[in-house]
């Protein structure tokens, strides 16, 4: 039972404008993003410099080896061989990392390929809703919309450079959310996710994740070598990897706050805060539902796990909201270095925005209409994964 009251917005036409979103200044994010990208450039410059130094040192050792006594010649040649190994490793890593930056070679986003791709012809009302929210957010049109069985949505950008840059924006929507959210609440989700496209965050993530994945692959390979303790390249990569993981956390927090501000400015702080808490509850209840689901043994008419989940779904009441927030505050502690802000922090931000008359409180199942075939397909995929 929703705590958001019915209002006159229920009579709004489906194509009603949602107005324009307001978002905090992106100056801080732009400066910090430039700093992170500068660190990436500095890493490659340093690696090229180190490769050049290895080459010079190896050449000098080989050149001077003949002027040494026998034991000295052997030591010089052994040193040159060690430098040659380090040089080869450095050059291989540079080639792998550079190639990975401009191609999907280092992309580790299997979520972008999850679920089922849907199109405008199949679900015209869903795409009309996406269009309205996208215009309010001022975000580009997703190239691909997919619906998956998980409780969390997402946005991804696949990018490959060449004579012509190939770019694909993928929006991943959650079927459990579509099963229990109303139009307003699902609009909050759409606005939040589309805002990541609008501010170029997904473009930045492409480069940073590819670079971090290249470092992680190299570090993990180095951990299997006993001589990593004396390998300067391994330790440089290890320190850089840990530093970037730590330094990207504030930017990720900032982007989540920005997306929350956008969604709250369109649909109102009360609806946005309610949706965030409801989404946390949905994730926990959906996990419980799928673990307790037994095909043909649940004692009801549920044909799939999503119908079973809806029959078990319980929203929180107005009286339960304070309890839920206190519980979340005890579970999540805010930190500048965490990837995501706490739900309590996000709720506090959303509540600074006034209520808005945007969207309706119709269930998304009615807005999207026939979800039965999609539920059946994703039900089979979910059970196959189990």
């Amino acid at each position: 039972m929703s705590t958001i009251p019915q209002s006159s917005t229920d009579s709004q036409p489906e194509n009603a404008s949602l107005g324009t979103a307001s978002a905090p200044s992106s100056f801080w994010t732009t400066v910090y993003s430039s700093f992170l990208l500068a660190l990436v450039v500095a890493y490659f410059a340093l690696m090229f410099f180190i490769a050049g130094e290895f080459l010079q040192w190896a050449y000098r050792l080989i050149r001077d080896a003949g002027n040494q006594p026998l034991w000295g010649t052997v030591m010089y040649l052994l040193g040159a061989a060690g430098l040659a190994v380090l040089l080869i490793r450095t050059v291989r890593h540079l080639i792998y990392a550079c190639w990975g930056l401009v191609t999907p070679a280092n992309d580790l986003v299997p979520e972008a390929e999850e679920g089922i791709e849907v199109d405008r012809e199949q679900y015209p009302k869903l795409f009309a809703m996406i269009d309205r929210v996208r215009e309010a957010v001022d975000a580009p049109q997703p190239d691909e919309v997919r619906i998956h069985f998980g409780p969390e949505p997402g946005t991804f950008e696949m990018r490959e450079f060449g004579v012509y840059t190939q770019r694909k924006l993928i929006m991943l929507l959650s079927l459990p959310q579509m099963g229990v959210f109303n139009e307003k609440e699902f609009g909050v989700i759409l606005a939040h996710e589309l805002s990541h496209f609008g501010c170029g965050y997904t473009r930045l993530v492409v480069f940073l994740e590819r670079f971090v994945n290249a470092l992680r692959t190299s570090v993990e390979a180095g951990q299997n070598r006993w001589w990593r303790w004396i390998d300067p390249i391994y330790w440089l990569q290890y320190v850089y990897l840990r530093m970037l993981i730590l330094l990207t956390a504030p930017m990720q927090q900032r982007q989540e706050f920005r997306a929350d501000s956008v969604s709250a400015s369109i649909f109102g702080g009360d609806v946005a805060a309610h949706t965030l808490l409801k989404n946390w509850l949905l994730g926990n209840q959906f996990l419980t539902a799928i673990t307790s689901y037994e095909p043909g043994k649940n004692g009801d008419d549920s044909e799939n796990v999503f119908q079973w989940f809806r029959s078990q779904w319980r929203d929180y009441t107005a009286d339960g909201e304070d309890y839920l927030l206190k519980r979340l505050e005890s579970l999540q502690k805010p930190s500048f270095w965490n990837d995501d802000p706490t739900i309590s922090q996000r709720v506090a931000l959303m509540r600074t925005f006034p209520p808005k008359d945007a969207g309706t409180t119709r269930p998304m199942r009615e807005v999207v209409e026939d979800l039965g075939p999609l539920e059946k397909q994703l039900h089979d995929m979910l059970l196959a994964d189990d």
Side-chain angles (χ1 to χ4, degrees), residues 144-165:
E144 191 174 297
V145 176
R146 306 182 73 88
I147 299 177
H148 76 139
F149 52 68
E152 289 294 337
T155 50
F156 307 91
E157 179 171 330
M158 312 298 287
R159 182 181 285 261
E160 185 170 359
F161 293 89
V163 178
Y164 298 101
T165 298

Side-chain angles (χ1 to χ4, degrees), residues 6-7 23 35 46 80 94 102-103 107 112 119 121 137 148 154 178 187 213 262 275 284 321 324-325 329 383:
Q6 299 280 334
S7 70
F35 165 69
L46 180 59
L94 279 171
V102 297
T103 70
D107 287 351
D119 57 38
E121 184 176 343
V137 174
H148 76 139
M178 296 170 72
N213 289 336
V262 168
T275 303
N284 285 271
E321 182 169 309
L324 183 57
L325 276 173
E329 287 174 358
L383 294 190

Side-chain angles (χ1 to χ4, degrees), residues 94-348:
L94 279 171
I95 293 174
Y96 171 75
C98 289
W99 180 251
L101 277 182
V102 297
T103 70
N106 292 338
D107 287 351
L108 300 176
V109 286
E111 300 95 335
E113 301 176 358
E114 283 185 358
I116 298 171
E117 183 179 358
V118 294
D119 57 38
R120 193 176 296 272
E121 184 176 343
Q122 291 173 292
Y123 296 102
K125 292 184 178 180
L126 172 63
F127 276 80
M129 183 178 179
I130 293 173
D131 288 341
R132 291 198 305 274
V133 177
R134 181 183 60 80
E135 290 173 3
V137 174
D138 192 24
Q141 177 73 45
D143 299 300
E144 191 174 297
V145 176
R146 306 182 73 88
I147 299 177
H148 76 139
F149 52 68
E152 289 294 337
T155 50
F156 307 91
E157 179 171 330
M158 312 298 287
R159 182 181 285 261
E160 185 170 359
F161 293 89
V163 178
Y164 298 101
T165 298
Q166 301 177 19
R167 180 193 185 205
K168 180 190 286 187
L169 301 178
I170 301 174
M171 186 175 215
L172 190 66
L173 302 179
S174 163
L175 184 59
Q177 288 181 340
M178 296 170 72
V180 299
F181 281 8
N182 64 37
E183 185 180 10
K184 279 186 178 182
E185 294 162 346
F186 197 71
V188 171
I189 300 296
L190 291 178
H192 181 101
E193 297 302 329
L194 285 167
S195 69
H196 289 313
F197 286 147
C199 68
Y201 176 61
T202 54
R203 181 169 58 251
L204 175 64
V205 168
V206 168
F207 292 103
L208 291 179
E209 285 197 349
R210 286 177 175 180
F211 178 60
V212 167
N213 289 336
L215 286 178
R216 183 179 286 112
T217 299
S218 186
V219 168
E220 288 175 352
Q223 288 174 342
N224 298 322
R225 305 185 184 104
W226 65 267
W227 44 273
R228 69 181 183 277
W229 303 106
I230 57 173
D231 182 358
I233 299 301
Y234 168 83
W235 288 108
L236 174 62
Q237 294 170 342
Y238 179 87
V239 170
Y240 235 91
L241 175 62
R242 297 302 169 192
M243 180 176 64
L244 274 177
I245 290 175
L246 192 66
L247 291 178
T248 53
M251 181 195 67
Q252 291 173 310
Q253 281 197 33
R254 183 79 175 184
Q255 290 296 341
E256 286 303 304
F257 282 137
R258 183 187 185 281
D260 288 339
S261 298
V262 168
S263 60
S265 70
I266 297 175
F267 292 94
D270 52 349
V271 176
H274 172 80
T275 303
L276 180 61
L277 291 171
K278 185 173 180 177
N279 190 53
W280 181 87
L281 203 61
L282 180 147
N284 285 271
Q285 290 191 25
F286 184 71
L287 179 61
T288 301
I290 61 175
T291 54
S292 63
Y293 176 76
E294 297 182 54
K297 299 180 181 180
N298 290 299
D300 60 10
D301 296 328
S302 299
E303 297 179 359
N304 57 63
V305 67
F306 302 103
Q307 290 182 6
W308 167 247
F309 166 62
R310 289 200 301 273
S311 72
Q312 302 300 304
W313 165 251
R314 297 294 181 270
D315 199 354
Y316 68 87
T317 63
D319 293 336
E321 182 169 309
D322 289 338
Y323 168 79
L324 183 57
L325 276 173
K326 288 179 181 177
R327 181 183 175 193
L328 288 169
E329 287 174 358
S330 67
L331 293 174
Q332 302 175 340
K333 301 300 180 184
S335 171
F336 184 76
W337 304 110
N338 285 343
D339 290 349
D340 295 311
T342 66
I343 290 181
S344 298
Q345 287 177 302
R346 296 174 64 186
V347 166

